[in-house]
Structures are given as structure tokens and as C-alpha cells.
Amino acid sequence: MATSEKDVFHRNKHVKFFQRCLQVLPERYASLDTSRMTVAFFAISGLDILNAMEVLDKDKPDIIEWIYSQQVLPDNKDSNIGMCGFRGSSTIGNAFDYREAQHTVIPYDSGHIAMTYTALAMLLILGDDLSRVNKRAVVEGLKSLQLPDGSFCPVPEGSENDMRFVYCACCISYMIADWSGVNRDKVKKYVKNSLSYDGGIGQGPGLEAHGGSTFCAIASLILMDELENTFTPKDLKRIKTWCILRQRSGFHGRPNKPVDTCYSFWVAATLQLLGLFSLTDFSSNRTYILSTEGHITGGFSKWPDHSPDALHTYFGICGLSLLRESGLNQVHAALNLSQRAADHLNNIHRQWGEKPS
């Protein structure tokens, strides 16, 4: 039987889509300039999952230098130590040169917890050994972001706080092999208190259960090796049931909401972490993901017949990787990057004398 166009995974077009994301973006992306680090992560990690890192061979050294140039470092008096980490872009005016920027303190300049996570993840993907990461400064930056209830803000100036940033803090701590910036008991309590009446986990206590926050909570506990110390067997059964019920064709993030490409990672990865992904309908999930594919431009959108974007393209490809799509690299679900990059991290931990996980 002939394969129809809608059943074809256009790998090479997605490679070119991510290459464009690294080179030029439409005007509508201008509002994301301060989050450029995260957009770059979608593209670079996406190329990694696509097993296409060779297209970055020439640019890899420059990308690594750009990432390090966004590191907010302490001055010689540690006056800004609580503001350290990685920023999202050079918009605030820092030099595009790691050697020039490393001792420059700019007023109101601070790291962002999501940018720190994606910066570290990209360095690993690109084969860097993290030797230029100021781990002490990153740890102190994390300490300044945790609130008394256990959650985290993204920036020290104060902002929203929820499960997304708990996850970022746990990924950062895992990657630098230093958990001293996180009060883990408070994190466990925050996650436990965010379990909703229906079995999913919300962005915080009393909030609606959501596929994204459920992933962030479960992955955080697994990275801390605290899943079974936080939730009872009854709790875990409820969480698993809630996640299984999120599949319609693909997955949706909340009851009575439309199916959306990105939840083929968020919910499916949660089920993989909980050991139940094999019970889902692989064929229906794949069919939905491919129904959102941009056959001309490459990329994926959240719904069929919509414009592809970097986020949904990345998570659509990660969803296909979980389905073991041919030619794709395996995803390390908890860290949200390739298993290849996670193996590189384990090698770094061995060099540091840390016990690999």
C-alpha cells in the first residue's frame, strides 16, 4: 500500500526549519528577543534529536562563545552574587565576547532560571565540558530565587512563581551536580501540595491540573530521586490515571481542551517516566503529530492547518522520538534533551568525581 503524504515525516525540512530559527526569524518573534536562549535551545536540541548536528559543525564554536557571553558572573566583591546565572540575550547591552563580558557588571542585569537551564543544556548538546560555568555563582543565584513555599521565581527582581521554575532549578542542579542551591524538602512539599483533586498536578497548590506542570513536577522528583518519598502508591496511581486519560488522538493538557502537539511530549514523557507510556496508542499519537506538520516549510504547529513555530516543532519531534520514529535520537525524558547529551553529562560527572545517575 502506498504511503500518503500525511503519513510522511519530512526530516530534512525540519532540519532546515531549525537552521532558519538560528539565522533569521519572522517579525512576530521580536517580542522573544530577551528569551533568545530558549528559542536557540529549541533549534539546537531539535537538531540533536533529528540526528543532524553536523549542520552546526562550522558554527559550533561561535554558538558556545555566545552562550558563555550571556553568563552573569559575580564581581570581585560578590555584590551581585544573587543575580548570577545566564541571561536570555545581549539585549541589555553586555559585550558579545566572553572575555570582555566576564568582569562587567551592568545595573539591573541578572540571570533567568529558564535561560540558565537552556544554556547549560545547549552547552552539553554542543559537547562543551561546562568548565567555564561558574557553578558557585549559579548555586547562589538559585538560592536567591527559591521562595518560602518551595517554589522558584525566574529572576531575583521578583516575578511569577510556579512549577516550571521548580523544574528548571532541578535540571540546573542535576547538570552541575550540586544541589546546595535548592531546599529539596520544600520542593517536595510544594509538589505534594500541588496535586489536584482529579489526580493531575497544577502549577501550584490549588491550581488546575495541567499536563505541563505535571511533567515538571514528576521530572523534578525523579531528578531528585524523591518520587516515591513524595507521593504514596495511591497518589501515583491517580497521577498515572490522569495522564493516561489525556490521550484522545494525540494528547491534550487539560480535560475538555483540544489536542495539542506539545503534549505528545509533556504528557507522553510523564507516562514514560512513570513506566506507562507503552500502554498508549502509538499510531493515533503519531498520526496527530504528523497532521500538524508543515509540508512545505517544515516544522510543526500546535493544531492542523496552523503556522509552525519553534516550540511545537521541537516538542513534536521529541514526541516522535518517544514513539521511536526511525532516524531520531532517543530523548532523556527527565532532562528534556537527547540521551546522547545526557551520556555526555554523565561522563563529565565522572571526571568531576560525581556518581553518575
Side-chain angles (χ1 to χ4, degrees):
M1 182 181 296
T3 302
S4 67
E5 180 71 10
K6 66 180 181 180
D7 293 326
V8 176
F9 174 57
H10 295 87
R11 175 188 176 276
N12 292 338
K13 290 184 178 181
H14 303 312
V15 171
K16 292 178 180 178
F17 180 91
F18 282 135
Q19 287 180 282
R20 290 196 299 274
C21 288
L22 291 173
Q23 295 162 0
V24 60
L25 289 170
E27 181 182 1
R28 66 179 181 271
Y29 279 82
S31 62
L32 297 177
D33 189 60
T34 55
S35 302
R36 197 182 304 177
M37 190 74 73
T38 297
V39 178
F41 166 77
F42 290 145
I44 291 172
S45 191
L47 289 169
D48 188 18
I49 302 300
L50 286 166
N51 197 23
M53 288 298 289
E54 71 277 359
V55 302
L56 296 179
D57 284 348
K58 185 177 74 171
D59 299 321
K60 190 180 297 184
D62 289 337
I63 297 172
I64 290 173
E65 290 307 308
W66 175 76
I67 295 170
Y68 273 116
S69 77
Q70 304 312 318
Q71 186 173 198
V72 179
L73 293 164
D75 62 15
N76 55 12
K77 296 181 180 178
D78 277 356
S79 67
N80 64 330
I81 191 69
M83 302 175 73
C84 292
F86 285 78
R87 61 174 79 77
S89 75
S90 56
T91 299
I92 200 167
N94 63 298
F96 176 40
D97 188 317
Y98 170 75
R99 293 162 298 180
E100 294 179 19
Q102 59 181 331
H103 298 302
T104 303
V105 175
I106 302 173
Y108 311 110
D109 187 21
S110 62
H112 186 291
I113 198 168
M115 309 307 151
T116 303
Y117 157 56
T118 51
L120 293 173
M122 278 193 290
L123 289 172
L124 291 170
I125 293 166
L126 293 166
D128 187 77
D129 63 1
L130 306 185
S131 61
R132 288 187 280 168
V133 175
N134 189 321
K135 293 196 291 180
R136 181 183 72 89
V138 169
V139 166
E140 293 302 319
L142 284 180
K143 288 179 181 178
S144 73
L145 299 176
Q146 190 167 23
L147 301 179
D149 67 356
S151 65
F152 284 80
C153 285
V155 292
E157 293 84 2
S159 180
E160 57 192 340
N161 60 291
D162 56 52
M163 201 68 71
R164 295 171 298 171
F165 308 127
V166 169
Y167 173 67
C168 290
C170 290
C171 285
I172 292 165
S173 300
Y174 184 95
M175 287 190 282
I176 65 172
D178 188 336
W179 288 87
S180 61
V182 174
N183 185 317
R184 290 193 272 189
D185 288 336
K186 288 185 175 181
V187 167
K188 289 163 55 180
K189 184 176 180 180
Y190 184 79
V191 172
K192 176 76 172 178
N193 290 341
S194 298
L195 180 62
S196 180
Y197 72 92
D198 60 357
I201 301 172
Q203 293 283 22
L207 299 180
E208 180 183 13
H210 188 278
S213 50
T214 300
F215 166 81
C216 290
I218 296 301
S220 296
L221 293 176
I222 286 176
L223 292 172
M224 292 192 295
D225 196 22
E226 293 284 4
L227 180 63
E228 294 179 355
N229 292 328
T230 303
F231 289 123
T232 66
K234 182 179 179 180
D235 291 334
L236 289 172
K237 183 178 180 180
R238 293 174 60 216
I239 294 168
K240 292 173 181 178
T241 300
W242 187 90
C243 290
I244 283 285
L245 292 175
R246 301 285 66 77
Q247 183 166 25
R248 291 298 177 261
S249 49
F251 291 83
H252 61 193
R254 292 175 287 169
N256 301 315
K257 293 293 183 178
V259 173
D260 181 331
T261 302
C262 66
Y263 296 108
S264 289
F265 174 77
W266 297 124
V267 178
T270 306
L271 286 167
Q272 177 161 303
L273 293 172
L274 294 172
L276 288 183
F277 184 53
S278 62
L279 300 183
T280 64
D281 187 331
F282 280 32
S283 178
S284 293
N285 188 11
R286 182 180 187 273
T287 296
Y288 179 76
I289 296 172
L290 292 183
S291 75
T292 71
E293 189 176 32
H295 295 156
I296 297 174
T297 62
F300 292 88
S301 55
K302 65 189 300 181
W303 299 316
D305 301 320
H306 282 65
S307 297
D309 62 80
L311 181 150
H312 288 91
T313 301
Y314 174 65
F315 286 116
I317 288 169
C318 287
L320 289 171
S321 173
L322 291 172
L323 293 170
R324 299 302 175 95
E325 183 76 20
S326 177
L328 297 184
N329 281 330
Q330 183 180 347
V331 173
H332 185 292
L335 286 173
N336 181 26
L337 43 70
S338 71
Q339 185 61 52
R340 183 195 66 82
D343 291 342
H344 174 55
L345 175 61
N346 278 339
N347 289 333
I348 292 173
H349 285 178
R350 290 188 186 96
Q351 294 169 14
W352 290 346
E354 301 290 342
K355 180 180 179 181
S357 301

